[in-house]
Coordinates of all heavy atoms in Angstrom, one line a residue:
M1 N 0.8 -1.2 0.0 CA 0.0 0.0 0.0 C 0.9 1.2 0.0 O 1.8 1.3 0.8 CB -0.9 0.0 1.2 CG -1.8 1.2 1.3 SD -3.2 1.2 2.5 CE -4.0 -0.3 2.0
E2 N 0.5 2.2 -0.8 CA 1.3 3.4 -1.0 C 0.8 4.4 0.1 O -0.3 4.6 0.4 CB 1.0 4.0 -2.3 CG 1.8 5.3 -2.6 CD 1.4 5.9 -4.0 OE1 0.6 5.4 -4.7 OE2 2.1 6.9 -4.3
N3 N 1.8 5.0 0.8 CA 1.6 6.0 1.9 C 1.9 7.4 1.3 O 3.0 7.6 0.8 CB 2.4 5.7 3.1 CG 2.0 6.6 4.2 OD1 0.9 7.1 4.3 ND2 3.0 6.9 5.1
V4 N 0.9 8.3 1.3 CA 1.0 9.6 0.7 C 0.7 10.7 1.7 O -0.4 10.6 2.3 CB 0.1 9.7 -0.6 CG1 0.2 11.1 -1.2 CG2 0.4 8.7 -1.6
K5 N 1.5 11.7 1.8 CA 1.2 12.8 2.7 C 0.2 13.7 1.8 O 0.5 14.1 0.7 CB 2.4 13.6 3.1 CG 3.2 12.9 4.1 CD 4.3 13.8 4.7 CE 5.0 12.9 5.7 NZ 5.8 13.7 6.6
W6 N -1.0 13.9 2.4 CA -2.0 14.6 1.6 C -1.6 16.0 1.3 O -1.2 16.8 2.2 CB -3.3 14.5 2.4 CG -4.5 14.9 1.6 CD1 -4.9 14.5 0.3 CD2 -5.4 15.9 1.9 NE1 -6.0 15.2 -0.1 CE2 -6.4 16.1 0.9 CE3 -5.6 16.8 3.0 CZ2 -7.4 16.9 0.9 CZ3 -6.6 17.6 3.1 CH2 -7.5 17.7 2.0
D7 N -1.8 16.4 0.1 CA -1.5 17.8 -0.4 C -2.6 18.8 -0.2 O -2.4 20.0 -0.5 CB -1.0 17.8 -1.8 CG -2.1 17.3 -2.8 OD1 -3.2 17.1 -2.4 OD2 -1.7 17.1 -4.0
G8 N -3.7 18.4 0.3 CA -4.9 19.3 0.5 C -5.8 19.4 -0.7 O -6.8 20.0 -0.6
K9 N -5.4 18.7 -1.8 CA -6.3 18.7 -3.0 C -6.6 17.3 -3.6 O -7.8 17.1 -3.8 CB -5.6 19.5 -4.1 CG -5.4 21.0 -3.7 CD -4.6 21.7 -4.7 CE -4.4 23.2 -4.2 NZ -3.2 23.8 -4.7
T10 N -5.7 16.5 -3.7 CA -5.8 15.2 -4.3 C -6.9 14.4 -3.6 O -6.8 14.2 -2.4 CB -4.5 14.4 -4.4 OG1 -3.5 15.2 -5.0 CG2 -4.6 13.1 -5.1
D11 N -7.9 13.9 -4.3 CA -8.9 13.0 -3.8 C -9.6 13.6 -2.6 O -10.1 12.9 -1.7 CB -8.3 11.6 -3.4 CG -8.0 10.8 -4.6 OD1 -8.7 11.0 -5.6 OD2 -7.2 9.9 -4.5
S12 N -9.8 14.9 -2.6 CA -10.4 15.6 -1.4 C -11.8 15.1 -1.2 O -12.3 15.0 0.0 CB -10.3 17.1 -1.5 OG -11.0 17.6 -2.7
D13 N -12.6 14.8 -2.2 CA -14.0 14.4 -2.0 C -14.0 13.0 -1.4 O -14.8 12.8 -0.5 CB -14.7 14.3 -3.4 CG -15.0 15.7 -4.0 OD1 -15.0 16.6 -3.2 OD2 -15.2 15.7 -5.2
I14 N -13.1 12.1 -1.8 CA -13.0 10.8 -1.2 C -12.6 10.9 0.3 O -13.1 10.3 1.2 CB -12.0 9.9 -2.0 CG1 -12.6 9.6 -3.3 CG2 -11.7 8.7 -1.2 CD1 -11.6 9.0 -4.3
I15 N -11.6 11.7 0.6 CA -11.1 11.9 1.9 C -12.1 12.5 2.8 O -12.3 12.1 3.9 CB -9.8 12.7 1.9 CG1 -8.7 11.9 1.3 CG2 -9.4 13.2 3.3 CD1 -7.4 12.7 1.0
L16 N -12.9 13.5 2.3 CA -14.0 14.1 3.1 C -15.0 13.0 3.4 O -15.5 12.9 4.5 CB -14.6 15.2 2.3 CG -15.9 15.8 3.0 CD1 -15.5 16.4 4.3 CD2 -16.5 16.9 2.1
E17 N -15.4 12.2 2.4 CA -16.4 11.2 2.7 C -15.9 10.2 3.7 O -16.7 9.8 4.6 CB -16.7 10.4 1.4 CG -17.9 9.5 1.4 CD -18.2 8.8 0.1 OE1 -17.8 9.4 -1.0 OE2 -18.8 7.7 0.1
A18 N -14.7 9.9 3.7 CA -14.1 9.0 4.8 C -14.1 9.7 6.1 O -14.5 9.1 7.1 CB -12.7 8.5 4.4
L19 N -13.7 10.9 6.2 CA -13.6 11.6 7.5 C -15.0 11.8 8.1 O -15.2 11.8 9.3 CB -13.0 13.0 7.3 CG -11.5 13.0 6.9 CD1 -11.1 14.4 6.6 CD2 -10.7 12.4 8.1
L20 N -16.0 12.0 7.3 CA -17.4 12.1 7.8 C -17.9 10.9 8.5 O -18.8 10.9 9.3 CB -18.4 12.6 6.7 CG -18.1 14.0 6.1 CD1 -19.1 14.2 4.9 CD2 -18.3 15.0 7.2
L21 N -17.3 9.7 8.2 CA -17.6 8.5 8.9 C -17.3 8.6 10.4 O -17.8 7.9 11.2 CB -16.9 7.3 8.3 CG -17.3 6.9 6.9 CD1 -16.3 5.8 6.4 CD2 -18.7 6.4 6.8
L22 N -16.3 9.4 10.7 CA -15.7 9.5 12.0 C -16.6 10.4 13.0 O -16.6 10.1 14.1 CB -14.3 10.0 11.9 CG -13.4 9.9 13.1 CD1 -13.1 8.4 13.4 CD2 -12.0 10.6 12.8
I23 N -17.2 11.4 12.4 CA -17.9 12.3 13.3 C -19.4 12.1 13.3 O -20.0 11.4 12.5 CB -17.6 13.8 12.8 CG1 -18.2 14.1 11.5 CG2 -16.1 14.1 12.9 CD1 -18.1 15.5 11.1
D24 N -20.1 12.7 14.3 CA -21.5 12.6 14.4 C -22.1 14.0 14.4 O -21.4 15.0 14.2 CB -21.9 11.9 15.7 CG -21.5 12.5 17.0 OD1 -21.2 13.7 17.0 OD2 -21.3 11.8 18.0
E25 N -23.4 14.1 14.6 CA -24.2 15.4 14.5 C -23.7 16.4 15.5 O -23.6 17.6 15.2 CB -25.7 15.2 14.7 CG -26.3 14.5 13.5 CD -27.8 14.3 13.6 OE1 -28.4 15.0 14.5 OE2 -28.3 13.4 13.0
E26 N -23.4 16.0 16.7 CA -22.9 17.0 17.7 C -21.6 17.6 17.3 O -21.3 18.8 17.5 CB -22.7 16.3 19.1 CG -24.0 15.9 19.7 CD -23.7 15.2 21.1 OE1 -22.6 15.3 21.6 OE2 -24.7 14.5 21.5
D27 N -20.7 16.8 16.6 CA -19.5 17.3 16.1 C -19.7 18.3 15.0 O -19.0 19.3 14.9 CB -18.6 16.2 15.6 CG -18.3 15.2 16.6 OD1 -18.2 15.5 17.8 OD2 -18.1 14.0 16.3
E28 N -20.7 18.0 14.1 CA -21.1 19.0 13.1 C -21.5 20.3 13.6 O -21.1 21.4 13.1 CB -22.2 18.4 12.2 CG -21.7 17.2 11.3 CD -22.8 16.7 10.4 OE1 -23.8 17.4 10.2 OE2 -22.6 15.6 9.9
E29 N -22.3 20.3 14.7 CA -22.7 21.5 15.3 C -21.5 22.3 15.9 O -21.4 23.5 15.8 CB -23.7 21.2 16.5 CG -25.0 20.8 16.0 CD -25.9 20.3 17.1 OE1 -25.7 20.7 18.3 OE2 -26.9 19.5 16.8
K30 N -20.6 21.6 16.5 CA -19.3 22.2 17.0 C -18.5 22.8 15.9 O -18.0 23.9 16.0 CB -18.5 21.2 17.7 CG -17.3 21.7 18.4 CD -17.6 22.4 19.7 CE -16.4 22.7 20.5 NZ -16.7 23.4 21.7
G31 N -18.5 22.1 14.7 CA -17.7 22.7 13.6 C -18.3 23.9 13.0 O -17.6 24.8 12.5
L32 N -19.6 24.1 13.2 CA -20.3 25.3 12.7 C -20.1 26.5 13.6 O -20.3 27.6 13.2 CB -21.8 25.0 12.4 CG -22.1 24.1 11.3 CD1 -23.6 23.7 11.3 CD2 -21.7 24.8 9.9
T33 N -19.7 26.2 14.8 CA -19.7 27.3 15.8 C -18.2 27.7 16.3 O -18.1 28.5 17.1 CB -20.5 27.0 17.1 OG1 -20.0 25.8 17.6 CG2 -22.0 26.9 16.7
T34 N -17.2 27.0 15.7 CA -15.9 27.3 16.1 C -15.0 27.5 14.8 O -15.4 27.1 13.7 CB -15.2 26.1 16.9 OG1 -15.2 24.9 16.1 CG2 -16.0 25.8 18.2
S35 N -13.8 28.0 15.0 CA -12.9 28.1 13.9 C -12.4 26.7 13.5 O -12.5 25.8 14.4 CB -11.7 29.0 14.3 OG -10.9 28.3 15.3
Y36 N -11.8 26.5 12.3 CA -11.3 25.2 12.0 C -10.1 24.8 12.8 O -9.9 23.6 13.1 CB -11.1 25.0 10.5 CG -9.8 25.6 10.0 CD1 -8.6 24.8 10.0 CD2 -9.8 26.8 9.3 CE1 -7.5 25.3 9.5 CE2 -8.6 27.3 8.8 CZ -7.4 26.5 8.9 OH -6.3 27.0 8.4
G37 N -9.4 25.8 13.3 CA -8.2 25.4 14.2 C -8.7 24.8 15.5 O -8.2 23.8 16.0
D38 N -9.7 25.5 16.1 CA -10.3 25.0 17.4 C -11.0 23.7 17.1 O -11.0 22.8 18.0 CB -11.2 26.0 18.0 CG -10.5 27.2 18.6 OD1 -9.3 27.1 18.8 OD2 -11.2 28.3 18.8
F39 N -11.7 23.6 16.0 CA -12.4 22.4 15.6 C -11.4 21.2 15.5 O -11.7 20.1 15.9 CB -13.2 22.6 14.3 CG -14.0 21.4 13.9 CD1 -15.0 20.9 14.8 CD2 -13.9 20.9 12.6 CE1 -15.8 19.8 14.4 CE2 -14.8 19.8 12.2 CZ -15.7 19.3 13.1
G40 N -10.2 21.4 14.9 CA -9.2 20.4 14.8 C -8.7 19.9 16.2 O -8.6 18.7 16.4
K41 N -8.5 20.9 17.1 CA -8.2 20.5 18.5 C -9.3 19.7 19.2 O -9.0 18.7 19.9 CB -7.9 21.7 19.3 CG -6.6 22.5 18.9 CD -6.5 23.8 19.6 CE -5.3 24.6 19.0 NZ -5.3 26.0 19.6
Y42 N -10.5 20.1 18.9 CA -11.6 19.4 19.5 C -11.7 17.9 18.9 O -11.8 17.0 19.7 CB -12.9 20.1 19.1 CG -14.2 19.4 19.3 CD1 -14.8 19.3 20.5 CD2 -14.8 18.8 18.2 CE1 -16.0 18.6 20.7 CE2 -16.0 18.1 18.3 CZ -16.6 18.0 19.6 OH -17.8 17.3 19.7
L43 N -11.5 17.8 17.6 CA -11.6 16.4 17.0 C -10.4 15.6 17.5 O -10.6 14.4 17.8 CB -11.5 16.6 15.5 CG -12.7 17.1 14.8 CD1 -12.5 17.3 13.3 CD2 -14.0 16.3 15.0
Q44 N -9.2 16.2 17.6 CA -8.1 15.4 18.1 C -8.3 14.9 19.5 O -8.0 13.8 19.8 CB -6.8 16.2 18.0 CG -5.6 15.5 18.3 CD -4.3 16.3 18.1 OE1 -4.3 17.5 17.9 NE2 -3.2 15.6 18.2
K45 N -8.8 15.8 20.3 CA -9.1 15.4 21.7 C -10.1 14.2 21.8 O -9.9 13.3 22.5 CB -9.5 16.6 22.5 CG -9.8 16.3 24.0 CD -10.3 17.6 24.7 CE -10.6 17.3 26.1 NZ -11.2 18.4 26.8
L46 N -11.1 14.4 21.0 CA -12.2 13.4 21.0 C -11.9 12.1 20.3 O -12.4 11.0 20.8 CB -13.5 14.1 20.4 CG -14.8 13.5 20.7 CD1 -15.1 13.6 22.2 CD2 -15.9 14.3 20.0
Y47 N -11.2 12.2 19.2 CA -11.1 11.0 18.4 C -9.7 10.4 18.2 O -9.4 9.6 17.4 CB -11.6 11.3 16.9 CG -13.1 11.5 17.0 CD1 -13.7 12.7 16.8 CD2 -14.0 10.4 17.2 CE1 -15.0 12.9 16.8 CE2 -15.3 10.6 17.2 CZ -15.9 11.8 17.0 OH -17.2 12.0 17.0
K48 N -8.7 10.9 19.1 CA -7.4 10.4 19.1 C -7.5 8.9 19.4 O -8.2 8.4 20.3 CB -6.5 11.1 20.1 CG -5.1 10.7 19.9 CD -4.2 11.6 20.8 CE -2.8 11.3 20.6 NZ -1.9 12.1 21.4
A49 N -6.8 8.1 18.6 CA -6.8 6.6 18.7 C -8.2 6.0 18.4 O -8.6 5.1 19.1 CB -6.3 6.2 20.1
A50 N -8.9 6.6 17.4 CA -10.2 6.0 17.0 C -10.1 5.5 15.6 O -9.1 5.7 14.9 CB -11.2 7.1 17.1
G51 N -11.2 5.0 15.1 CA -11.2 4.5 13.7 C -12.6 4.4 13.2 O -13.6 4.3 14.0
A52 N -12.8 4.3 11.9 CA -14.1 4.1 11.3 C -13.8 3.6 9.9 O -12.7 3.7 9.4 CB -14.9 5.4 11.3
G53 N -14.9 3.0 9.3 CA -14.7 2.5 8.0 C -16.0 2.0 7.4 O -17.0 1.9 8.2
N54 N -16.1 1.8 6.1 CA -17.3 1.3 5.5 C -17.0 0.3 4.4 O -17.9 0.0 3.6 CB -18.1 2.5 5.0 CG -17.5 3.2 3.8 OD1 -16.4 2.9 3.4 ND2 -18.2 4.2 3.3
G55 N -15.8 -0.2 4.3 CA -15.5 -1.1 3.2 C -14.7 -0.4 2.1 O -13.8 -1.0 1.5
K56 N -15.2 0.8 1.7 CA -14.5 1.5 0.7 C -13.3 2.3 1.2 O -12.3 2.5 0.6 CB -15.5 2.5 0.0 CG -16.6 1.8 -0.8 CD -17.4 2.7 -1.7 CE -17.8 4.0 -1.3 NZ -18.8 4.7 -2.2
Y57 N -13.6 2.9 2.4 CA -12.6 3.7 3.1 C -12.4 3.3 4.6 O -13.3 2.8 5.2 CB -13.0 5.2 3.1 CG -13.6 5.7 1.9 CD1 -15.0 6.0 1.9 CD2 -12.9 5.8 0.7 CE1 -15.6 6.5 0.7 CE2 -13.5 6.2 -0.4 CZ -14.9 6.6 -0.4 OH -15.5 7.0 -1.6
S58 N -11.2 3.5 5.1 CA -11.0 3.4 6.5 C -10.3 4.6 7.0 O -9.5 5.2 6.3 CB -10.1 2.2 6.8 OG -10.7 1.0 6.3
V59 N -10.6 5.0 8.3 CA -9.9 6.1 8.9 C -9.3 5.6 10.2 O -10.0 5.0 11.0 CB -10.9 7.3 9.2 CG1 -10.2 8.4 9.8 CG2 -11.7 7.7 7.9
R60 N -8.1 5.9 10.4 CA -7.4 5.6 11.7 C -6.8 6.9 12.2 O -6.2 7.6 11.4 CB -6.3 4.5 11.5 CG -6.9 3.2 11.2 CD -5.8 2.2 11.2 NE -5.9 1.3 10.0 CZ -4.9 0.8 9.3 NH1 -3.7 0.9 9.7 NH2 -5.2 0.0 8.3
T61 N -6.9 7.1 13.5 CA -6.3 8.3 14.0 C -5.4 8.0 15.2 O -5.5 7.1 15.9 CB -7.4 9.3 14.5 OG1 -8.1 8.6 15.6 CG2 -8.5 9.6 13.4
N62 N -4.4 8.9 15.3 CA -3.5 9.0 16.4 C -2.9 10.3 16.4 O -3.6 11.3 16.5 CB -2.5 7.8 16.4 CG -2.0 7.5 17.8 OD1 -2.2 8.3 18.7 ND2 -1.4 6.4 18.0
K63 N -1.6 10.4 16.3 CA -1.0 11.8 16.1 C -1.3 12.4 14.8 O -1.4 13.6 14.7 CB 0.5 11.7 16.3 CG 1.0 11.3 17.6 CD 2.5 11.2 17.7 CE 2.9 10.8 19.1 NZ 4.3 10.6 19.3
K64 N -1.6 11.6 13.8 CA -2.0 12.1 12.5 C -3.3 11.3 12.2 O -3.7 10.4 12.8 CB -1.0 11.8 11.5 CG 0.4 12.5 11.8 CD 0.9 13.2 10.6 CE 2.2 13.9 11.0 NZ 2.5 15.0 10.2
V65 N -3.9 11.7 11.1 CA -5.1 11.0 10.6 C -4.7 10.3 9.3 O -4.1 10.8 8.4 CB -6.2 12.1 10.2 CG1 -7.4 11.4 9.7 CG2 -6.6 12.9 11.5
L66 N -5.0 9.0 9.3 CA -4.8 8.2 8.1 C -6.1 7.8 7.4 O -7.0 7.3 8.1 CB -4.0 6.9 8.5 CG -2.6 7.1 9.1 CD1 -2.1 5.7 9.5 CD2 -1.7 7.7 8.1
V67 N -6.2 8.1 6.2 CA -7.4 7.8 5.4 C -7.0 6.7 4.4 O -6.1 7.0 3.5 CB -8.1 9.0 4.7 CG1 -9.2 8.5 3.8 CG2 -8.6 10.0 5.7
I68 N -7.5 5.5 4.5 CA -7.1 4.4 3.6 C -8.2 4.3 2.5 O -9.4 4.1 2.9 CB -6.9 3.1 4.4 CG1 -5.8 3.4 5.4 CG2 -6.6 2.0 3.4 CD1 -5.9 2.5 6.6
V69 N -7.8 4.4 1.3 CA -8.8 4.2 0.2 C -8.5 2.8 -0.4 O -7.5 2.6 -1.1 CB -8.6 5.3 -0.9 CG1 -9.6 5.1 -2.1 CG2 -8.7 6.7 -0.3
N70 N -9.3 1.8 0.0 CA -9.1 0.4 -0.3 C -9.0 0.1 -1.8 O -8.1 -0.6 -2.2 CB -10.2 -0.4 0.3 CG -10.2 -0.4 1.8 OD1 -9.1 -0.2 2.4 ND2 -11.3 -0.5 2.4
K71 N -9.8 0.7 -2.6 CA -9.8 0.5 -4.0 C -8.5 0.9 -4.7 O -8.0 0.2 -5.6 CB -11.0 1.2 -4.7 CG -11.2 0.9 -6.1 CD -12.5 1.7 -6.6 CE -12.8 1.3 -8.0 NZ -14.1 2.0 -8.4
K72 N -8.0 2.0 -4.3 CA -6.7 2.5 -4.9 C -5.5 2.0 -4.2 O -4.4 2.2 -4.6 CB -6.7 4.0 -4.8 CG -7.6 4.7 -5.7 CD -7.5 6.2 -5.5 CE -7.6 6.9 -6.8 NZ -7.3 8.3 -6.7
Q73 N -5.7 1.3 -3.0 CA -4.5 0.9 -2.2 C -3.6 2.0 -1.9 O -2.4 1.9 -2.0 CB -3.7 -0.3 -3.0 CG -4.5 -1.6 -3.0 CD -4.7 -2.2 -1.6 OE1 -3.7 -2.4 -0.9 NE2 -5.9 -2.3 -1.2
V74 N -4.2 3.1 -1.5 CA -3.5 4.3 -1.1 C -3.9 4.7 0.4 O -5.1 4.6 0.7 CB -3.8 5.5 -2.0 CG1 -3.2 6.8 -1.5 CG2 -3.4 5.2 -3.4
Q75 N -2.9 5.1 1.1 CA -3.1 5.6 2.5 C -2.7 7.0 2.6 O -1.5 7.3 2.4 CB -2.3 4.7 3.4 CG -2.4 5.1 4.9 CD -1.6 4.1 5.7 OE1 -2.1 3.0 5.9 NE2 -0.5 4.4 6.2
Y76 N -3.6 7.9 2.8 CA -3.3 9.4 2.9 C -3.1 9.7 4.3 O -3.9 9.4 5.2 CB -4.5 10.2 2.3 CG -4.6 10.1 0.8 CD1 -5.6 9.4 0.2 CD2 -3.7 10.8 0.0 CE1 -5.8 9.3 -1.1 CE2 -3.9 10.7 -1.4 CZ -4.9 9.9 -2.0 OH -5.0 9.8 -3.3
E77 N -2.0 10.5 4.5 CA -1.7 10.9 5.9 C -2.0 12.4 6.0 O -1.5 13.2 5.1 CB -0.2 10.7 6.1 CG 0.3 11.1 7.5 CD 1.8 10.8 7.6 OE1 2.2 9.7 7.4 OE2 2.5 11.7 8.1
L78 N -2.8 12.8 6.9 CA -3.3 14.2 7.1 C -2.9 14.6 8.5 O -2.9 13.8 9.4 CB -4.8 14.3 7.0 CG -5.5 14.1 5.7 CD1 -5.7 12.6 5.4 CD2 -6.9 14.7 5.8
T79 N -2.7 15.9 8.6 CA -2.6 16.5 10.0 C -4.0 16.7 10.5 O -5.0 16.7 9.7 CB -1.9 17.8 10.0 OG1 -2.6 18.8 9.2 CG2 -0.5 17.7 9.4
W80 N -4.2 16.8 11.8 CA -5.5 17.0 12.3 C -6.1 18.4 11.8 O -7.2 18.5 11.5 CB -5.5 17.1 13.9 CG -5.4 15.7 14.4 CD1 -4.3 15.0 14.9 CD2 -6.6 14.8 14.6 NE1 -4.7 13.8 15.3 CE2 -6.1 13.6 15.2 CE3 -7.9 15.0 14.4 CZ2 -6.9 12.6 15.5 CZ3 -8.8 13.9 14.7 CH2 -8.2 12.7 15.3
N81 N -5.2 19.3 11.6 CA -5.6 20.6 11.1 C -6.2 20.6 9.7 O -7.2 21.2 9.4 CB -4.4 21.6 11.2 CG -4.8 23.0 11.2 OD1 -5.8 23.4 11.9 ND2 -4.1 23.9 10.5
K82 N -5.5 19.8 8.8 CA -6.0 19.7 7.5 C -7.3 18.9 7.4 O -8.2 19.3 6.7 CB -5.0 19.0 6.6 CG -3.9 19.9 6.1 CD -3.0 19.2 5.1 CE -2.0 20.1 4.5 NZ -1.1 19.4 3.6
A83 N -7.5 17.9 8.3 CA -8.7 17.1 8.3 C -9.8 18.0 8.8 O -10.9 18.1 8.3 CB -8.5 15.9 9.3
A84 N -9.6 18.8 9.9 CA -10.6 19.7 10.4 C -11.0 20.8 9.4 O -12.2 21.1 9.3 CB -10.1 20.4 11.7
K85 N -10.0 21.3 8.7 CA -10.3 22.4 7.7 C -11.2 21.8 6.6 O -12.2 22.5 6.2 CB -9.0 22.9 7.1 CG -9.2 24.0 6.1 CD -8.0 24.6 5.6 CE -8.2 25.8 4.7 NZ -7.0 26.4 4.2
L86 N -10.9 20.6 6.1 CA -11.7 20.0 5.1 C -13.2 19.8 5.5 O -14.1 20.1 4.9 CB -11.1 18.7 4.6 CG -11.8 18.0 3.5 CD1 -11.7 18.8 2.2 CD2 -11.1 16.6 3.2
I87 N -13.3 19.3 6.7 CA -14.7 19.0 7.3 C -15.4 20.4 7.6 O -16.6 20.6 7.2 CB -14.6 18.2 8.6 CG1 -14.1 16.8 8.3 CG2 -16.0 18.1 9.2 CD1 -13.7 16.0 9.6
H88 N -14.7 21.3 8.1 CA -15.2 22.6 8.5 C -15.7 23.3 7.2 O -16.8 23.9 7.2 CB -14.1 23.5 9.1 CG -14.5 24.7 9.8 ND1 -14.5 25.9 9.2 CD2 -15.0 24.9 11.0 CE1 -14.9 26.9 10.0 NE2 -15.2 26.3 11.2
E89 N -15.0 23.3 6.2 CA -15.4 24.0 4.9 C -16.6 23.3 4.4 O -17.6 24.0 3.9 CB -14.3 23.9 3.9 CG -13.1 24.9 4.2 CD -11.9 24.7 3.3 OE1 -11.9 23.8 2.5 OE2 -11.0 25.6 3.4
Y90 N -16.7 22.0 4.4 CA -17.8 21.2 4.0 C -19.1 21.6 4.8 O -20.1 21.8 4.2 CB -17.6 19.7 4.1 CG -18.8 18.9 4.0 CD1 -19.5 18.7 2.7 CD2 -19.4 18.4 5.1 CE1 -20.6 17.9 2.7 CE2 -20.6 17.6 5.0 CZ -21.2 17.4 3.8 OH -22.4 16.7 3.7
L91 N -19.0 21.6 6.1 CA -20.1 22.0 6.9 C -20.7 23.4 6.6 O -21.9 23.6 6.6 CB -19.7 21.9 8.4 CG -19.4 20.5 8.9 CD1 -18.9 20.5 10.4 CD2 -20.6 19.6 8.8
H92 N -19.8 24.3 6.4 CA -20.2 25.7 6.1 C -20.8 25.8 4.7 O -21.8 26.6 4.5 CB -19.1 26.7 6.3 CG -18.9 27.0 7.8 ND1 -19.6 27.9 8.5 CD2 -18.1 26.4 8.7 CE1 -19.2 27.9 9.7 NE2 -18.3 27.0 9.9
R93 N -20.3 25.0 3.7 CA -21.0 25.0 2.4 C -22.3 24.4 2.5 O -23.3 24.9 1.9 CB -20.1 24.2 1.4 CG -19.0 24.9 0.8 CD -18.4 24.1 -0.3 NE -18.2 22.7 -0.2 CZ -17.1 22.1 0.3 NH1 -16.0 22.8 0.5 NH2 -17.0 20.8 0.4
K94 N -22.5 23.3 3.3 CA -23.7 22.6 3.4 C -24.8 23.5 4.1 O -25.9 23.4 3.8 CB -23.5 21.3 4.2 CG -24.7 20.4 4.4 CD -24.3 19.2 5.1 CE -24.8 19.1 6.5 NZ -24.6 17.9 7.2
E95 N -24.3 24.3 5.0 CA -25.2 25.2 5.8 C -25.9 26.2 5.0 O -27.0 26.7 5.3 CB -24.4 25.8 7.0 CG -25.2 26.6 8.0 CD -26.1 25.7 8.8 OE1 -25.9 24.4 8.9 OE2 -27.0 26.2 9.5
K96 N -25.2 26.7 3.9 CA -25.8 27.8 3.1 C -27.0 27.3 2.3 O -27.3 26.4 1.9 CB -24.7 28.3 2.1 CG -23.6 29.0 2.8 CD -22.6 29.6 1.9 CE -21.6 30.4 2.6 NZ -20.6 30.9 1.8

């Protein structure tokens, strides 16, 4: 499996879909009321050493966030800040 440090653009829709498996409605509310930096700290505190998946994607967290795209055999490595920013932007687009 190829390990790639995520550049913030490549496969962002896939990565977002995978990250959304990790959070719930309460987290979405928090994302709408905080900056993405604070949201990243919140997610890291809450989901450090957690995981989620659906067969197409898997997410594992610890110091960094790993999103595994099974079909492509690629593992993207994200910082908590980049993961939070991607989710935060999605939540605010969805809210409009």
Side-chain angles (χ1 to χ4, degrees):
M1 181 168 304
E2 182 182 4
N3 187 26
V4 177
K5 288 192 180 193
W6 189 55
D7 62 9
K9 296 177 183 149
T10 307
D11 287 335
S12 60
D13 291 339
I14 291 169
I15 291 170
L16 174 62
E17 191 175 335
L19 291 173
L20 291 176
L21 295 172
L22 196 61
I23 66 171
D24 62 25
E25 287 181 22
E26 289 178 18
D27 302 328
E28 290 183 14
E29 290 173 22
K30 184 77 168 181
L32 290 169
T33 59
T34 61
S35 68
Y36 81 82
D38 289 341
F39 186 53
K41 291 173 189 171
Y42 165 82
L43 292 176
Q44 185 174 13
K45 181 179 177 186
L46 199 61
Y47 293 108
K48 192 173 181 180
N54 68 358
K56 294 190 323 188
Y57 320 112
S58 298
V59 181
R60 290 188 226 148
T61 64
N62 205 342
K63 291 181 181 177
K64 301 228 179 207
V65 179
L66 297 176
V67 174
I68 300 152
V69 182
N70 296 328
K71 187 176 185 180
K72 289 182 145 190
Q73 288 295 299
V74 174
Q75 177 174 287
Y76 290 104
E77 183 179 308
L78 293 77
T79 62
W80 281 99
N81 201 39
K82 280 187 178 180
K85 184 176 182 180
L86 186 61
I87 296 168
H88 193 265
E89 289 173 349
Y90 165 77
L91 293 174
H92 283 274
R93 279 193 315 266
K94 184 175 109 173
E95 188 69 14
K96 289 183 179 180

